[in-house]
Amino acid sequence: MIEIRFHGRGGQGAVIAAELLAQAANLDGKTPQSFAFYGAERRGAPVVSYARIDDRPILLRTAITAPDIVVVLDPGLVEVAPVMDGLKPGGTLLVNSPLPPERFPTPKPAFVATLDATQIALSHGIGSRTMPIVNTTMLGALSRVSSVVSLSAVQHAIDEHVPARPAENGLAAIEGFHTVRVAELPGLPGGKAPAGPVAPALSSEVPEAPIASMASDVLHTSSWRTLQPVITREKCTRCNFCWKFCPDNAIDLDAEGFPVVRNEHCKGCGLCAVECPPVAIEMVVEGGA
Amino acid sequence: MAKLTLPPVELVRSGHSACPGCGPALAMRYLLKGTGERTVVSVPASCWTIIATGYPTTALRIPMIDTPIEATGASISGLRAALDALHMSDVQVVGFAGDGGTVDIGLQSLSGMLERRTDALYVMYDNEAYMNTGIQRSGSTPLGAWTTTTPVEGMARGKGEPKKDIMGIVLAHHPVYAATLNVAYPEDFLRKAQKAASLKGPRFFHVLAPCPPGWKFASDQTVQIGRLATDTGIFPLYEVENGKLRVTRKLGQLKPVRDYIKVQGRFGHLTDAEIDTVEHEVQASWAALLQREAHP
Amino acid sequence: MTRLVLSGNYAQSYAARLARVQVISAYPITPQTTIVEQLAKFVSSGELPAQFIKVESEHSALQVCVSAAALGARTYTATSSQGLLLMHELLHWASGMRTPIVMGVVSRSVGPPWSLDADHTDTMSQRDTGWVQIYPESNQEVLDSVLESFRLAEDLAIRLPVMVAEDAFYLSHTVEPVEVPSQAQVDAFLPPRVPKGTLVPGKATRLGSYVGPADYVRFRREQARAMERVPETLAAIEEDYGRRMGRTYGGLLQEYRTEGADAVLLTMGTASTTARAVVDELRAEGKRVGLARIRVFRPFPAKEVRALASRVDRLGVMDRSWTFGQMGSAATEVAAAIQSSPRQPRLSSFLAGVGGRDVGTALLREMFRDLLSKEPSGLRWMDMEPLKEAPLHG
Ligand SMILES: Cc1ncc(C[n+]2csc(CCOP(=O)(O)OP(=O)(O)O)c2C)c(N)n1
Ligand code: SF4
Ligand code: SF4
Ligand code: SF4
Ligand SMILES: [Mg+2]
């Protein structure tokens, strides 16, 4: 049995990726299972979905904690989500990234594969710059780097189950298949993953009633974004429109009335940039470039 | 440096779980700037259940009580009763409910609260569908809009029925104050929130709060689309105090509704003829509104 | 203490008034109506300075209480039958938020077909909503139980809502003498509520919240622990009540003449009084029988039932409601309780008094006769015969 975990962002199709993989594996004559636990995930927020593929009936209905394969649909997630957690030694990490595989060292020895799925998807007109839909491209690549599913089954599954632009999605899958690069990496010294984000600590004492009083500012929602605002001070007229319209209260005004983006909270919605009368704010891809 | 047109106090914290560009997140932010720190809010099952963030954190600097989706009206009656009994009558009571939780499953409870003259402000933030459950139609979804339960497929052309007239329903209960608000017009929003906070008795807000994923537009367009809703006459801004109606954003020439409809994916299937029909209806209702203002 | 002749419903109203409830909310349903009518009078006359919120449904009535209690107010509501069922979602909200609401329930059959009479289907269908359930057998006990319930519900170790369920008509509309304590006596027994885990204006707290599985189970475990503390806490409250008012009711399971008994019948509510009289008759005839009344059904007195089972060979349980595929509601729980008992008594389940069928001495004698002579045989529907010749109504 092969166990797979997908990491994506809310709205990016991680759940559909796992379901589509299940449909494709079924066409290959295998027994698939795919699942996700819906929670509070919003657009852009990190989400996970899962799949199991076997030649026999699957007798497990439990969470996957030690996946054979991890698929990361959004490059930014490697920094903000625990994508390496539990990846089996000798397993496969497949990341949507223009960077070479060596840039994603795994804690234990593993095969790491990368491809610029965002570029591929956009070139086929799938999704938008802020929310590229890369799941079909990634499934094409998956069919290359593992034996879990065949490319022809992925294509058939796309034909049958992708309502919008099936032809383009099929082509993107083929391009994903052909462009993915793989490297066998030795694992990190000590076998430890780089420290990920820290969730707020739960108090060991449970109040009897479900009363919450910790400030939500401890939650750093910048992990949701793919774009970030950059303010050109020289152009700014200090009109405070950006402050007024930020739905995340992520803009503070300094003593002189200039806006300062609180980076840990900005979700990169772009509203401030659109509402800025002198166009002093530009949205740039997260992390520069 | 321009003066602030909104009070600097922030009663909604950062780190909340709304989607990028969320209209309802702005609605809470502006509202609480108007009602102030001594506010208690009741929030039924809705997007705001999630936006407020999970245990042990909270995104509000004021007390919030979670409420079943259908019971906001009763909940705020209960809060008011307790505050009066415990000699804290100065505290503002606010119900902050979605459109589905108000015009559909919560309508009975809202009617009860208005009828028994509860001294509280009921705010319906209208993102025009059941968003928290993944974009299903509500009684407040407009005619023709795509939702997951009003698909555009075969003969189906999105929602087949017009939006419920919640202001009409509420005004028939004669609240002391009722108003329409729009997150794209924060100063008007604030003034109404402050006004409502200064009054006693049942008060009602119908707030237009655009939702990027639900309406299918990019997250940076929330305010642009919100403005168009009002400036095309689709969502006029007005207030009714003691039965007297006043339009608070006067419009000369209405912008074409096409400008509003064409920028939203949920209306992507509408034909020119269908848009023309909407245009006529909007013009008629705008004229009727001006009539009501002129001749109460 | 004054001796008044009161109905069970008025006993509820008087108790709520003596408890100085601050917020009342209710919706009318037969046979609960006179409880709230009397409270409306108390409030209107100024005898009870409470907020009485008249609502458009039972659902809203309980929501008003939940929200008011969440701010620290002492709250009371009352309902029956369909009204209790309509409250179902809110019953969970009340217990999940740990709001110490006290509710009077007039236990009534559930339609269709419409019927207004005594039955336990309404309360039994809500037995796992996290409420303490007390089933008094007299109007005196109704009044005493409501007062004890406020102490119990508001106890900081408990903080759970409580329902005091009285049989329709047999208590609700039966008048009998009730010793009504003075306000000073009640004030000494029941001080004002000390709010904890409540919302405070100006303080950033969210009550209810949204949790992941790990926190969910922790909150549920806390709720279960609070339920586990009820027997001990209630015993202490009863002792104090007894000292002040001179009456106690024997904890969760009240036994009567069970010493040396060959067979004991377990009952709830008003059937218990008549059954006690039957036990006396049978004892006089030389039959070694006894009675055990389940006074508190939630939490279920499993420990007490096991103790009884270790002394008695034959147990019978009379129920006014049942569990499909099993036995009577209480009988099923008795069976579960005694399966870990070192001695296994034979267990009989008697269904009687359903939909207001009268539970008379002859019927109760038959249950004892069965218990002493027959082998247990699952659920036995008693008193079906007259149905055959019953005249057709309308
Ligand atoms: C009794 C009940 N039925 C259904 C639900 C599921 N539910 C949760 S949120 C929601 C949508 C509410 O829609 P709306 O009030 O418009 O708020 P929005 O999600 O759009 O913010 C629904 C149907 C529920 N919580 N309770
Ligand atoms: S992009 Fe601008 S408006 Fe959007 S969250 Fe960031 S700072 Fe706020
Ligand atoms: S909106 Fe633009 S000009 Fe106005 S304060 Fe912000 S950055 Fe400056
Ligand atoms: S779905 Fe819409 S209303 Fe809900 S959080 Fe997202 S943007 Fe806001
Ligand atoms: Mg909605």
Side-chain angles (χ1 to χ4, degrees), chain B residues 98-100 125 127-131:
Chain B
D99 49 296
Y125 70 90
N127 52 19
E128 302 196 319
Y130 295 106
M131 294 308 179

Side-chain angles (χ1 to χ4, degrees), chain A residues 198-256:
Chain A
V198 190
L202 293 180
S203 68
S204 52
E205 210 163 288
V206 197
E208 291 139 38
I211 273 225
S213 52
M214 190 187 282
S216 66
D217 311 49
V218 298
L219 305 169
H220 289 181
T221 40
S222 54
S223 65
W224 300 22
R225 71 184 177 189
T226 50
L227 299 177
Q228 75 180 98
V230 174
I231 303 175
T232 308
R233 223 175 142 96
E234 294 68 43
K235 287 197 202 165
C236 171
T237 60
R238 294 184 282 173
C239 70
N240 71 54
F241 275 34
C242 51
W243 168 81
K244 189 161 67 182
F245 286 116
C246 176
D248 288 275
N249 292 357
I251 296 185
D252 300 315
L253 300 175
D254 70 13
E256 297 165 66

Side-chain angles (χ1 to χ4, degrees), chain A residues 1-3 52-56 58-60 68 88:
Chain A
M1 180 169 53
I2 296 184
E3 296 186 313
R52 285 192 174 95
I53 316 284
D54 204 348
D55 298 320
R56 289 170 295 187
I58 295 170
L59 301 178
L60 293 177
D68 300 278
K88 278 191 190 140

Side-chain angles (χ1 to χ4, degrees), chain C residues 285-354:
Chain C
E285 292 164 22
K287 308 249 165 43
R288 299 202 301 180
V289 295
L291 180 83
R293 175 170 73 100
I294 301 173
R295 179 181 183 229
V296 177
F297 189 80
R298 276 291 176 273
F300 191 75
K303 200 177 86 196
E304 291 79 356
V305 167
R306 267 196 295 279
L308 181 66
S310 70
R311 294 185 274 119
V312 181
D313 281 335
R314 290 162 183 264
L315 291 184
V317 186
M318 187 207 118
D319 272 290
R320 288 178 187 270
S321 66
W322 67 99
T323 295
F324 290 99
Q326 290 279 19
M327 300 183 282
S329 306
T332 305
E333 303 223 3
V334 168
I338 64 176
Q339 57 84 31
S340 64
S341 151
R343 273 182 69 207
Q344 291 289 320
R346 283 178 290 177
L347 180 66
S348 302
S349 170
F350 305 110
L351 193 64
V354 173

